[in-house]
Amino acid sequence: MEKHDGSDAGTIRLDDPWYDALASGWGEGEEPGAPVRQAAPATGPAAAQGRPAVADIYLEVHRSAAFQEVRSRYRRFVVPGVLAFFGWYVAYVVAAVAAPGLMARQVVGAVNVALLAGLGQFLSTFLLTWAYARHARLRRDRAALDLRWTVFEQARGQERAAATGGTPGPAGGEGRPAEAGDAR
């Protein structure tokens, strides 16, 4: 993203791949009970020339094997993590209610089992957060970024084709930054 000077210095450029065009405007300035805005049907030059609309690009990516792999990696980590953490929390609460004698047992000085289990709750929260961030960085972020660049390049190709009146070229990755190991 380039640095902007002037009156629009705080705005986000629409050609920024991190700008989520589908989510922008959701929940902004809407009154409770206001009618829900419906997505407009695909119209304009892209639909008239038989090219897919931007929404179709997102649907195509959503159906892709790469996207499904990212989602399955996410689920394979999150579901067991949430179940284990919730089970540990419920065990702590149940032990505090059902076994007050056990929780009151002194371990060292004034430190009892309940205090150690409570501190264990904090420790497990931080460990789960660290493990989630590590898992995301090692197993999902690269693939998700590649998917985001694919969508960005396809949408940009459509915009260029609409501006020139031609057909969009292949998504060759001309705007994607080169990374170590890329064969481009």
Side-chain angles (χ1 to χ4, degrees):
M1 205 160 75
E2 297 175 11
K3 184 175 180 180
H4 292 280
D5 293 326
S7 62
D8 65 339
T11 61
I12 296 175
R13 291 182 32 201
L14 295 180
D15 62 343
D16 177 13
W18 293 107
Y19 176 74
D20 193 352
L22 290 180
S24 66
W26 288 9
E28 298 172 4
E30 294 179 8
E31 300 288 326
V36 177
R37 292 183 285 174
Q38 298 293 326
T43 59
Q49 295 177 4
R51 292 190 313 244
V54 174
D56 294 333
I57 293 171
Y58 281 95
L59 290 173
E60 177 184 336
V61 168
H62 181 74
R63 293 183 194 112
S64 72
F67 181 79
Q68 296 305 321
E69 178 63 24
V70 170
R71 285 185 57 140
S72 68
R73 288 178 183 177
Y74 171 79
R75 288 185 186 128
R76 282 193 306 254
F77 180 84
V78 168
V79 170
V82 166
L83 291 175
F85 186 80
F86 187 69
W88 160 233
Y89 173 75
V90 168
Y92 173 71
V93 172
V94 168
V97 172
L102 170 70
M103 297 299 269
R105 181 175 292 159
Q106 299 295 319
V107 176
V108 175
V111 178
N112 61 14
V113 173
L115 181 61
L116 289 178
L119 292 174
Q121 291 287 317
F122 284 104
L123 179 63
S124 63
T125 300
F126 293 120
L127 284 175
L128 185 62
T129 303
W130 170 80
Y132 176 82
R134 182 176 186 276
H135 183 269
R137 186 184 72 238
L138 296 176
R139 307 247 190 311
R140 297 190 316 266
D141 286 353
R142 172 82 44 141
L145 185 59
D146 286 344
L147 284 170
R148 186 168 200 116
W149 275 107
T150 300
V151 169
F152 175 69
E153 290 169 354
Q154 288 178 0
R156 183 175 236 177
Q158 281 188 355
E159 291 171 3
R160 286 184 184 146
T164 61
T167 58
E174 65 215 30
R176 183 171 174 254
E179 296 181 17
D182 275 357
R184 296 180 194 224

